[in-house]
Amino acid sequence: EAQVTQNPRYLITVTGKKLTVTCSQNMNHEYMSWYRQDPGLGLRQIYYSMNVEVTDKGDVPEGYKVSRKEKRNFPLILESPSPNQTSLYFCASSDLGVPPYEQYFGPGTRLTVT
Amino acid sequence: KQEVTQIPAALSVPEGENLVLNCSFTDSAIYNLQWFRQDPGKGLTSLLLIQSSQREQTSGRLNASLDKSSGRSTLYIAASQPGDSATYLCAASEGGGAQKLVFGQGTRLTINP
């Protein structure tokens, strides 16, 4: 089944404790992206990647890092999480070789930083 | 800067009614527009995608239209069912390398049996 998976689905952590949220897709998509969803602010793009070793900032990259060492994986790294990073996070992927580049989303990771 | 607005924020209708959800965007230079469904605590499910060169797309009881000149898209749901209850999000793609989706705040739809 074609899908985008994220782990963990739920995470409660404390301020400053480094964490990684994994994202993996099995559709051989070149493009992957991270969004966060907050009440009243909607979904906003954090980082995106157009292919292996190619990443760039979205609208709200502060406090986050990403890496793209393999085509299928795009982990989101919070090196020193803060309470304002409490949010619902979504990973998305798209096939850049096939217009109109429909984006497929993972199930989401609910992160709480205390 | 692209801004996407969805009105109303919430809508409640009786089962069986046909309904229209509205989405407006400020910059007509979009690459495509996607409609998503989000169930509480769940991820985003893609419903329909309309390319900038298209006027509408249909899938089952759903029909989405796009009018770039007026900066509007609508999602028409025919013969609504309680299972259609969810939040519906529209998102405009800016295209280019970022392929960034700019989302509206969503319309929370409730279908009453």
Side-chain angles (χ1 to χ4, degrees):
Chain A
E1 178 188 358
Q3 60 183 350
V4 179
T5 58
Q6 296 178 226
N7 283 293
R9 295 289 314 283
Y10 302 91
L11 178 60
I12 301 174
T13 190
V14 296
T15 299
K17 185 177 182 181
K18 181 178 179 179
L19 66 92
T20 299
V21 183
T22 66
C23 173
S24 182
Q25 48 91 7
N26 62 0
M27 295 170 279
N28 201 38
H29 286 171
E30 297 88 354
Y31 176 89
M32 298 185 74
S33 180
W34 278 101
Y35 291 82
R36 61 178 288 175
Q37 184 178 33
D38 301 290
L41 296 174
L43 284 104
R44 296 173 292 168
Q45 190 184 57
I46 304 171
Y47 268 97
Y48 67 94
S49 169
M50 293 183 65
N51 215 323
V52 174
E53 303 291 2
V54 181
T55 63
D56 207 346
K57 298 176 180 179
D59 290 331
V60 287
E62 296 78 19
Y64 304 95
K65 285 179 59 178
V66 293
S67 69
R68 188 91 180 273
K69 293 184 170 56
E70 302 169 285
K71 196 173 186 179
R72 64 182 293 129
N73 296 322
F74 190 44
L76 180 69
I77 303 158
L78 286 72
E79 295 209 326
S80 184
S82 62
N84 65 11
Q85 293 179 297
T86 292
S87 187
L88 181 58
Y89 291 86
F90 290 102
C91 180
S93 73
S94 176
D95 185 348
L96 291 183
V98 183
Y101 315 132
E102 183 173 4
Q103 295 198 27
Y104 300 88
F105 281 75
T109 294
R110 186 166 295 281
L111 172 66
T112 301
V113 183
T114 61
Chain B
K1 179 184 173 183
Q2 178 75 272
E3 292 181 1
V4 177
T5 304
Q6 292 184 249
I7 296 173
L11 181 64
S12 180
V13 300
E15 181 179 2
E17 281 202 2
N18 303 324
L19 60 98
V20 174
L21 305 181
N22 297 298
C23 172
S24 61
F25 46 93
T26 56
D27 187 348
S28 62
I30 62 171
Y31 184 77
N32 63 44
L33 189 135
Q34 272 186 263
W35 281 92
F36 296 89
R37 168 184 172 139
Q38 184 174 26
D39 293 285
K42 299 290 181 64
L44 304 177
T45 301
S46 180
L47 297 173
L48 289 165
L49 181 151
I50 312 176
Q51 296 183 62
S52 60
S53 58
Q54 298 175 319
R55 296 284 290 182
E56 65 179 274
Q57 282 285 341
T58 298
S59 176
R61 295 182 295 107
L62 305 180
N63 176 276
S65 68
L66 176 64
D67 185 342
K68 284 181 58 178
S69 62
S70 67
R72 291 181 183 177
S73 177
T74 61
L75 179 67
Y76 174 83
I77 302 177
S80 58
Q81 304 170 357
D84 294 330
S85 297
T87 295
Y88 290 80
L89 298 161
C90 69
S93 172
E94 299 186 335
Q99 293 292 322
K100 182 176 72 176
L101 291 175
V102 179
F103 284 84
Q105 294 284 333
T107 294
R108 188 173 67 253
L109 176 64
T110 303
I111 308 297
N112 302 302

